[in-house]
Amino acid sequence: MSSPAPRRPGAGAARARLAEILRVDQAGELAAVNIYRGQAAVMRASPGRERLAAQLKEMEGHEQVHLSRFDQLLTERGVRPTLMSPLWRAAAFALGAGTALLGEKAAHACTEAVETVIEKHYAGQIAELTDRDPELAAELSQFRDDELAHRDLAIEEGAREALAYPLLSAVIQAGCRAAIKISEKI
């Protein structure tokens, strides 16, 4: 007796996967905006950290452009956002504020950790979408370039000099990877 043929994805599989991609990317950009907001709020209240507060506000602006585009894509393509959005918004702000309270280096370590995970995440999506949706893949490539610029700036500013950097980075990256998996589905 032969075993049954493996199941093939149906006509809706590509559409469902695109919904996952858009949902998780919108959630990620929502989180990024709120991480930078949390960091900037702490730095604005800290004398002598005006330069960093302005830098964080600028990066928040980049992320807001990404978020606005994903909000538009969700609407255009009839995809619901993750149900986790309220939790991600609060957790991201807390992560940003918390790392900023630990100091400039810890804030930069947070940025580096998050942007490292997001860059790899976008790279996988770009590879997946290049043939199927080249316009979206091109947009993701631009967003990925912005994330790389943020990561590189964080490294230049001393991210890896943060107290307990390996642990801090590992915990933040694990949290990001978990949030990605959850946001794709919920």
Side-chain angles (χ1 to χ4, degrees), residues 16-166:
R17 177 61 185 137
L18 181 61
E20 288 178 353
I21 289 170
L22 295 176
R23 182 174 20 265
V24 72
D25 289 354
Q26 189 271 351
E29 297 299 345
L30 175 72
V33 164
N34 284 284
I35 288 169
Y36 287 127
R37 282 184 183 159
Q39 290 176 334
V42 169
M43 293 304 169
R44 275 193 309 273
S46 303
R49 293 189 170 157
E50 296 80 13
R51 181 188 70 82
L52 179 54
Q55 191 180 70
L56 293 166
K57 192 70 178 159
E58 181 180 341
M59 290 189 291
E60 177 193 330
H62 300 158
E63 304 297 356
Q64 184 60 56
V65 169
H66 303 172
L67 175 58
S68 295
R69 180 60 180 139
F70 282 116
D71 286 344
Q72 180 183 12
L73 286 167
L74 289 181
T75 300
E76 287 173 0
R77 299 189 187 203
V79 175
R80 68 162 176 78
T82 178
L83 299 174
M84 302 299 289
S85 291
L87 178 61
W88 293 160
R89 184 179 291 113
F93 188 90
L95 176 62
T99 55
L101 287 169
L102 293 173
E104 289 184 32
K105 305 292 186 198
H108 290 304
C110 175
T111 297
E112 181 197 2
V114 169
E115 301 295 21
T116 296
V117 171
I118 299 310
E119 182 277 324
K120 290 176 184 169
H121 175 71
Y122 273 151
Q125 290 179 340
I126 292 162
E128 182 179 346
L129 292 170
T130 296
D131 293 333
R132 191 174 50 194
D133 193 335
E135 286 181 30
L136 181 57
E139 283 188 275
L140 295 181
S141 292
Q142 179 56 55
F143 295 168
R144 178 178 172 241
D145 290 346
D146 292 343
E147 310 305 350
L148 285 168
H150 296 168
R151 184 203 63 196
D152 292 348
L153 178 62
I155 292 169
E156 288 172 23
E157 293 284 338
R160 294 176 181 171
E161 299 166 22
L163 184 64
Y165 166 79

